Amino acid sequence: MAGEVVVDALPYIDQGYDEPGVREAAFALVEEECRRYRPTKNYLESLPPLNLTSFETSVMRTEFERLQNRLPMECLSMKRYELPPPPSGKLNEINAWTECVDNSCAQLEHQAVRVLNLQLMLQYCVPAWQRYLKSLTEAEKIATRDLLALRQAIQEVNWQRKSLQTSGGCVTSDTAIIKNQYDSDVTVWSPQGRLHQVEYAMEARASSELSAHQKKVIPIDQHMGITISGLTADARMLSRYMRTECLNYKYSHDALLPVSRLITSLGNKMQICTQRYDRRPYGVGLLVAGYDDLGPHIYQTCPSANFFDCKAMAIGSRSQSARTYLEKHLDEFLNSTTEELIKHGLRALRDTLPNEVELNTKNVSIGSVGKDTDFVILDEDAIAIYLTAIEGEEKRGSGAGSDRPAEPLAEDGGDQGPQDPEVAVAMDTE
């Protein structure tokens, strides 16, 4: 109808909420909404008044009054357990001694009843409490299931609301319209068969510098450690999960968790975020180095939940030069010592740097693990020794000075978006 006012919901703010002025503008919109459309009905008037004392018993009320008056607790009376003799003036009377004996018999009968009650409690109370706790557990499961269903309904309403607002918004280009229709949810596939949310996570992983100022080597267990490329917050969450899994396995089996089993569990955890609309993929890639009964391992994980068992690997921005170096010298690694392997890693890392940047103790972290050797992160003095050993050598990488991120080693498949790297040195995957 002409002139009819359609009351719509407040605008949906997904990003930029912490930018200057956005929070104040949102509060102003809420206040204006409350001022213009005040509630016309009290939806709680049908509910009974809240009774806060319905659970109280007479004993509880007496105890609450004692606490309110700040009175001390009464001492337990032990008079019923006393066995007093006859008064001094009646020691020779038979009736006085008869009363004392009767009192003793009554107390002994009372003690026998108490012992019987304790035996009955020991026999029947444990199953009764078990049944009670089982009923509480079932009630908790029902309440949890209802809560999850309610949260899912709320998420569905929010998603529909956002979809309606997005579809009704003003978009300046057809490309933006198509993109906004298929990147709002991690479970929505585009007509080209792409998951934009997973691609965004891959881009976040690829944008991380190999030699940034932030330390990116994290110990997991005495036989394992990781290095990260991408969002540090996501990496810390995954590292905390890996540490917990190692600790639980060690507590249960009194042994170190095999690296392959941990990577499989980690891949399943990362895969869940690509299947549920209320999650987002982890925007981080990991290199997991460890040693177990099967020997040394280097695993690479991707935000898409793919993982690769490699012989050598480099991830991050401009990592293509490092992978080229590792592939070129792969045959030398088998017979190399630990010191030589560290030098190879530093040379590969140096090939990824721009010409005006050099390796130093501030932008390099080194971690090592091996047979009969726990995972350790070298300090700056030890790193300086290795940097001095390769100082003066010519860079062997090509195009290391380019600031453009390296393209993944994949065949040209057209505009397919970011793909998981197909590394030449990658070996069997699980």
Side-chain angles (χ1 to χ4, degrees), residues 173-184 196 200 203:
S173 65
D174 296 338
T175 304
I177 292 177
I178 296 176
K179 187 175 182 180
N180 287 337
Q181 288 178 348
Y182 299 105
D183 70 346
S184 60
H196 290 288
Y200 296 160
E203 292 175 1

Side-chain angles (χ1 to χ4, degrees), residues 304-379:
S304 59
N306 289 331
F307 56 88
F308 306 91
D309 188 1
C310 310
K311 289 186 176 180
M313 175 52 63
I315 60 175
S317 179
R318 298 191 301 273
S319 59
Q320 178 60 54
S321 300
R323 289 197 294 268
T324 302
Y325 177 90
L326 296 175
E327 182 181 0
K328 181 178 179 181
H329 298 81
L330 185 61
D331 296 335
E332 305 175 12
F333 297 158
L334 185 61
N335 300 321
S336 298
T337 63
T338 303
E339 290 75 14
E340 293 173 346
L341 290 175
I342 293 177
K343 292 178 183 179
H344 279 297
L346 291 176
R347 294 187 186 103
L349 184 63
R350 183 182 57 185
D351 289 346
T352 66
L353 297 177
N355 293 328
E356 65 275 6
V357 180
E358 295 293 337
L359 290 181
N360 55 66
T361 57
K362 301 301 181 183
N363 60 11
V364 173
S365 295
I366 300 176
S368 63
V369 66
K371 184 178 181 180
D372 300 328
T373 303
D374 293 342
F375 182 82
V376 61
I377 300 178
L378 304 185
D379 55 18

